[in-house]
Amino acid sequence: LVIILLILTALPLAASAQTDEAATDPATTDTGAADPAATDSAARATSSSDRLFLGFIPEAAVARNQWWEGQFEIADHNNLDVILLRGVVAVQPWKRWEMGASVGFGNTDTPAGVEDGTGATDLDAWAKYFLGKSGDATEFAAGGLVTLPTGDDAAGLGRDSFALGAFGSLRHRFERFVLSVHAGIRFNGDGQVFDVELDGKASPIVGVGMIFPQSDRITFVAEANFEGARFDGADSDVRLLGGLNWRFHNRGMFRGAIAFGLTDAAPDLQLIGGYAWTF
């Protein structure tokens, strides 16, 4: 509990520590601060305005200053239905660095014989360093991730398992779209869910995303994400996603996506709707 409170406390402190240099860093200049009509769509797609969904954490992009997003999520698994409210916070406390955290609270509808539950999800916290500058065709990032077992494993919302991970990523700008690729590994501790013991293992992660600017305000997103089995006897998590970012004014953006799971560990269907406030 102390670790969780320290992380959550550090985020607003880091935000307040931002300098004017970070705000004007060409590597993270967000065109939302200016008239979007004055900016080329392809260039916008490499800015912090357009982010992935499944690959939000590792992708080669950082929040210009701060990113606050609220999400509503529905996930349909074979024997488990989940409804979540999730918060995502990312800040740039120092030039080229992003720190962030994501946690949710929701309800599960479980199969007969298992009690439904309400509670929190596990908390993901990360830090990454961005390599690149405005005008570069290719941008890179590298960082680390920690998962804290804050979730309710009795409700199926957590795994009672600590995890540590590392990742690297790149974005390359083509004429009409941006390609995003990331790879990493997560080391999962032992845990449990629904009173079933879980033996943690290392799980490789690979993801590919494509960002298609349609106008100065609308961007389509396509993603494919793979994570190997996190626990002995479990399946890998493979998902395909299609999404939309709609920046209806300079600092606000609606985000929506639908994802399909191709393996047992992934939800059969996942719907994500959110609003991101960026500045």
Side-chain angles (χ1 to χ4, degrees):
L1 179 59
V2 173
I3 295 175
I4 299 170
L5 291 175
L6 288 174
I7 290 177
L8 295 178
T9 301
L11 286 173
L13 290 177
S16 65
Q18 294 167 2
T19 63
D20 291 339
E21 180 181 32
T24 59
D25 177 22
T28 56
T29 299
D30 188 338
T31 57
D35 181 8
T39 307
D40 178 73
S41 296
R44 272 196 72 248
T46 59
S47 76
S48 57
S49 297
D50 294 299
R51 299 288 294 260
L52 301 178
F53 292 83
L54 301 177
F56 183 92
I57 293 175
E59 67 178 316
V62 292
R64 177 177 179 263
N65 288 312
Q66 300 182 40
W67 177 294
W68 296 81
E69 182 175 0
Q71 294 181 351
F72 177 74
E73 179 181 325
I74 299 175
D76 178 17
H77 297 259
N78 285 333
N79 296 311
L80 180 70
D81 295 331
V82 181
I83 298 177
L84 287 176
L85 292 176
R86 185 184 302 277
V88 180
V89 179
V91 301
Q92 186 185 169
W94 308 286
K95 184 178 179 180
R96 300 183 183 277
W97 282 94
E98 179 178 277
M99 295 176 58
S102 172
V103 68
F105 185 87
N107 176 264
T108 56
D109 183 5
T110 54
V114 179
E115 185 177 354
D116 297 344
T118 300
T121 68
D122 291 340
L123 183 148
D124 290 324
W126 70 90
K128 64 181 173 184
Y129 183 72
F130 175 86
L131 295 167
K133 61 183 179 180
S134 179
D136 284 354
T138 306
E139 301 158 329
F140 302 89
L145 167 72
V146 59
T147 299
L148 302 179
T150 57
D152 188 342
D153 57 273
L157 293 169
R159 298 295 179 267
D160 194 30
S161 169
F162 283 95
L164 291 173
F167 55 82
S169 59
L170 68 85
R171 276 186 173 192
H172 183 79
R173 184 174 66 241
F174 293 90
E175 182 178 355
R176 296 187 178 278
F177 68 93
V178 173
L179 176 67
S180 177
V181 179
H182 66 266
I185 189 167
R186 191 196 318 247
F187 298 94
N188 302 282
D190 296 340
Q192 66 175 6
V193 62
F194 295 127
D195 295 325
V196 176
E197 297 297 324
L198 303 172
D199 295 325
K201 56 188 295 187
S203 53
I205 301 171
V206 179
V208 178
M210 298 179 73
I211 299 172
F212 301 90
Q214 301 302 300
S215 71
D216 296 310
R217 297 189 181 274
I218 295 178
T219 301
F220 292 136
V221 177
E223 294 184 63
N225 201 76
F226 164 87
E227 180 170 5
R230 296 181 59 183
F231 305 98
D232 285 338
D235 200 357
S236 58
D237 184 329
V238 181
R239 306 184 200 188
L240 300 177
L241 176 144
L244 170 73
N245 292 328
W246 173 38
R247 180 172 291 279
F248 72 100
H249 67 73
N250 285 347
R251 300 200 183 278
M253 176 165 46
F254 285 110
R255 284 160 48 83
I258 180 170
F260 300 94
L262 305 183
T263 54
D264 289 342
D268 297 329
L269 177 66
Q270 181 182 17
L271 301 175
I272 302 171
Y275 177 84
W277 182 263
T278 63
F279 53 96

